Amino acid sequence: MRTAIVGSGAMGQLFGARLSMAGTEVVFLDTNPGTLEALNSRGVTLHTDLGVERTPAKAARASELEGEFGLFIVFTKGFHTQAAVDSVSHLIGAESIGLTLQNGLGNAEVLQQAFGAERTLLGMTDFPADMEEPGIISSNSRGKVRLGSMSQNSPAEEIAQLLDTAGLHATVDQDIRVPIWEKVTFNAALNTLSAVTGMTVGQIGHDPHARNLVRSVVDECTAVAQHEGIGVSRERIERSLANAFAHHTHHKTSMLLDREAGRLTEVDTIGGAVVRLGRKAGIDAPVLSTLCELVRAITAPPAGN
């Protein structure tokens, strides 16, 4: 299946490399000239507990390509989803499948407009991916992918098998909203708090005041999820947080890295999306709302710019 990785950051490079090593024809799509040059010249090198693995890569701007792709896996930031899908519209055929493994909420609805409900898949992954430089990725082999669809008649099983064969440990969930919301809750707590405070995951875990804020955000997110009819597990969320506090002590969240680099953050598609849904349902989320406003305040361009 000719596969396009839409957004070739750390996670896109990890997934594209794994699929390529398993024999799938993969093209990495991106707009960053440095990323494209690095991938085309050096390929992707993965550093994991399995050792060092390398694969050649083909990378391009979407506008440079022709012909249909069978599968599009979208890894862009949420605020780029619409533009990313628009950029590949000429490569989408009647049988093409769109899969979002992005953080946050609302991405699948964008893909559905281009691919249709039956050929839109959504999911989550807990594979870590850190990029030393374009084409050099650190990860491990213990992550997993959980995916599902917005329709009963979907190719979810086929795509899960493709990913699983590539060592990406994919399974199909009957209600994919549950793991997505559990990850959104996890990210809403850690990403917003780390972006505001500058704290690593381990520092948050060791600080009782920060842990209290995390618990409050989890309370607020689970209340909104339950109102939406999504049976998230507080126990699973807390287990994921405890694992992160214990094993990812020096990790900086993506939102903190974006803040430090002066980039836009995904606050509006992660914590902000939960706050908006809560307001529509009459559910207040004061802690998460405040953290989101603080992220916006400290990442906004200086006044007058």
Side-chain angles (χ1 to χ4, degrees), residues 103-105 184 187-188 191 255 266-275 288:
N103 289 328
L105 303 173
V184 164
N187 282 331
N191 271 270
M255 202 172 290
E266 292 185 284
V267 65
D268 289 324
T269 53
I270 299 177
V274 176
V275 171
L288 181 55

Side-chain angles (χ1 to χ4, degrees), residues 15-26 55 162-167:
F15 272 66
R18 283 276 174 246
L19 287 165
S20 181
M21 291 173 187
T24 298
E25 180 186 355
V26 172
T55 182
L162 177 73
L163 297 176
D164 199 57
T165 300

Side-chain angles (χ1 to χ4, degrees), residues 245-279:
F245 294 146
H247 300 291
H248 302 286
T249 55
H250 301 295
H251 179 70
K252 290 185 176 183
T253 68
S254 60
M255 202 172 290
L256 175 55
L257 291 172
D258 286 340
R259 174 197 164 183
E260 291 178 340
R263 297 187 295 256
L264 287 174
T265 75
E266 292 185 284
V267 65
D268 289 324
T269 53
I270 299 177
V274 176
V275 171
R276 288 193 300 275
L277 283 171
R279 285 175 179 160

Side-chain angles (χ1 to χ4, degrees), residues 192-209:
T192 55
L193 186 55
S194 66
V196 169
T197 63
M199 298 169 78
T200 65
V201 170
Q203 289 170 330
I204 291 172
H206 282 95
D207 186 280
H209 308 291

